[in-house]
Amino acid sequence: MINLHILYDEKSTQSTINTLRKYFSTEENPFLIIGNRYGYDYSEYENVVRVEENFYGIKEMFRQIKKSDRVHLHGFFYIPLIFAIALSKKLGQKCNWIMWGQDLYNLVNKPTSFPLAVLRIIRKQATKNIRYITTNVEGDYELLKKVMNKEYKFFKVRFAPFAIDGVWEKVSESNGEITEKNKTINILLGNSATYSNCHLEALDILSKYKEENMKIYIPLSYGDKKYGNQVSNKAKEIFGDKAVPMFEFLEREKYFQLLSNIDIVVFAHNRQQAVGNIVPLLYAGKKIYIRSDISTWPCIKEEYKLDVRDYCTISEESFDDFKLNSVDLKQQQMLCEQMVDEDMFVKTYRKVLEDDEKVI
């Protein structure tokens, strides 16, 4: 069976391809990459096609789709494809939507303009036509069912082993306790320049610590540039030189080097997001705050029993409480390794790629 994988050129694209190619047939799993955002070189990859976002790229995409048995949408963002699936139930019936997060919330969130309202209607029709849904956060699937009032053929997969690649050699042997009296506490706030990070709210909450010995690192290398500048300006206004807005994209190795020096992570996201950051940070024994009212919380805290803290409690904590890290590093690492267990990843993903259910 030919499984065509369609995905944008993103930070995780190479890792996704390398991981699936490690465990599954290259011949049966061709990739079609849309755009050239990060400029990665795929010329030596067998069965990988990159297309531009233009007429010729769209034409090539549909040529690849036509000769495939199943189409796996790694993120549901590409507007021409959304339109096509909305217009063709037959096409939708061979599509598997591998949910990322933001693509789901394009259906959930109220549109802010008439064009976005029209696009949301088209997205809903396309989603109605899709047959298969895949995610590693079951709460996202439950939310989709509620929004669409529909059951799908659902595949729940494990997190990919590459989630903690690059962290192994950088993990400290300490249990994360901060014992140095005059140590600067390094805080990571958010993961991108997107409104769902809720940076402005988080900066207001953290402002009570502005006189403490701390630095706040704020990754803003992708997303909404105007919003990123707004976040940067507010962070500088409150924290001065203690705020470190980061607009430069860091390669994976450099990014993990930064993460290894972080003490506390504050992810104020109001939706499922940044799991690719959360998992390695948990493995490294960092103290992580996320909201308890999003689908990430039951997945990480309840299903996998990992030690995360509720972002909503920060407003009540003294700085001593805030910086205290009581994470059991060995326990946390063991649970993370179970979360990204290689055998379970292959077993669950094989069901996605080898399902032989007849397509209408």
Side-chain angles (χ1 to χ4, degrees), residues 208-220:
K208 65 178 181 176
Y209 304 139
K210 64 183 179 181
E211 302 302 327
E212 303 292 347
N213 186 12
M214 57 183 277
K215 281 205 168 187
I216 300 183
Y217 294 85
I218 313 173
L220 300 167

Side-chain angles (χ1 to χ4, degrees), residues 26-45:
T26 299
E27 184 178 346
E28 294 180 358
N29 289 278
F31 283 81
L32 186 136
I33 302 168
I34 299 170
N36 190 19
R37 183 176 182 181
Y38 288 94
Y40 293 132
D41 182 9
Y42 297 101
S43 59
E44 295 184 4
Y45 281 72

Side-chain angles (χ1 to χ4, degrees), residues 126-324:
T127 304
K128 182 179 179 181
N129 287 343
I130 285 176
R131 171 175 286 201
Y132 308 96
I133 300 293
T134 298
T135 180
N136 43 33
V137 180
E138 191 165 350
D140 282 353
Y141 175 60
E142 295 300 323
L143 180 55
L144 176 69
K145 287 197 301 180
K146 184 177 179 180
V147 170
M148 295 300 301
N149 192 27
K150 179 185 175 180
E151 296 276 352
Y152 296 81
K153 177 146 190 185
F154 173 54
F155 297 102
K156 182 180 178 183
V157 293
R158 279 295 184 93
F159 289 86
F162 75 74
I164 56 176
D165 284 352
V167 194
W168 298 89
E169 67 275 13
K170 294 182 174 65
V171 173
S172 167
E173 291 300 323
S174 115
N175 64 1
E177 290 183 2
I178 299 164
T179 55
E180 300 95 324
K181 185 175 180 181
N182 297 315
K183 182 185 185 304
T184 299
I185 305 303
N186 293 320
I187 300 166
L188 182 74
L189 176 60
N191 76 312
S192 62
T194 55
Y195 287 92
S196 54
N197 277 251
C198 299
H199 292 98
L200 304 180
E201 173 195 284
L203 287 168
D204 280 333
I205 291 175
L206 294 171
S207 64
K208 65 178 181 176
Y209 304 139
K210 64 183 179 181
E211 302 302 327
E212 303 292 347
N213 186 12
M214 57 183 277
K215 281 205 168 187
I216 300 183
Y217 294 85
I218 313 173
L220 300 167
S221 61
Y222 70 99
D224 186 317
K225 185 176 181 180
K226 183 177 178 181
Y227 171 72
N229 288 331
Q230 187 181 0
V231 171
S232 175
N233 292 337
K234 181 162 184 174
K236 288 290 188 180
E237 178 185 331
I238 296 174
F239 295 99
D241 292 341
K242 295 178 181 179
V244 187
M246 299 183 298
F247 289 96
E248 180 185 356
F249 172 70
L250 298 179
E251 295 293 341
R252 184 177 176 85
E253 186 175 342
K254 289 184 178 179
Y255 187 58
F256 277 129
Q257 186 61 56
L258 168 69
L259 298 186
S260 69
N261 293 319
I262 294 296
D263 300 300
I264 301 169
V265 181
V266 177
F267 283 159
H269 306 93
N270 59 12
R271 65 169 174 84
Q272 188 271 101
Q273 193 174 356
V275 175
N277 288 272
I278 292 171
V279 176
L281 286 164
L282 287 168
Y283 185 81
K286 308 303 182 181
K287 185 178 186 180
I288 302 180
Y289 289 88
I290 64 174
R291 292 182 190 266
S292 59
D293 58 353
I294 60 174
S295 59
T296 316
W297 180 272
C299 172
I300 291 176
K301 181 76 172 179
E302 298 169 16
E303 181 179 356
Y304 292 106
K305 312 299 182 187
L306 288 156
D307 190 347
V308 290
R309 308 303 170 91
D310 188 356
Y311 161 79
C312 300
T313 66
I314 296 176
S315 59
E316 304 168 2
E317 295 181 350
S318 68
F319 190 68
D320 285 341
D321 291 333
F322 176 67
K323 72 178 185 178
L324 177 65

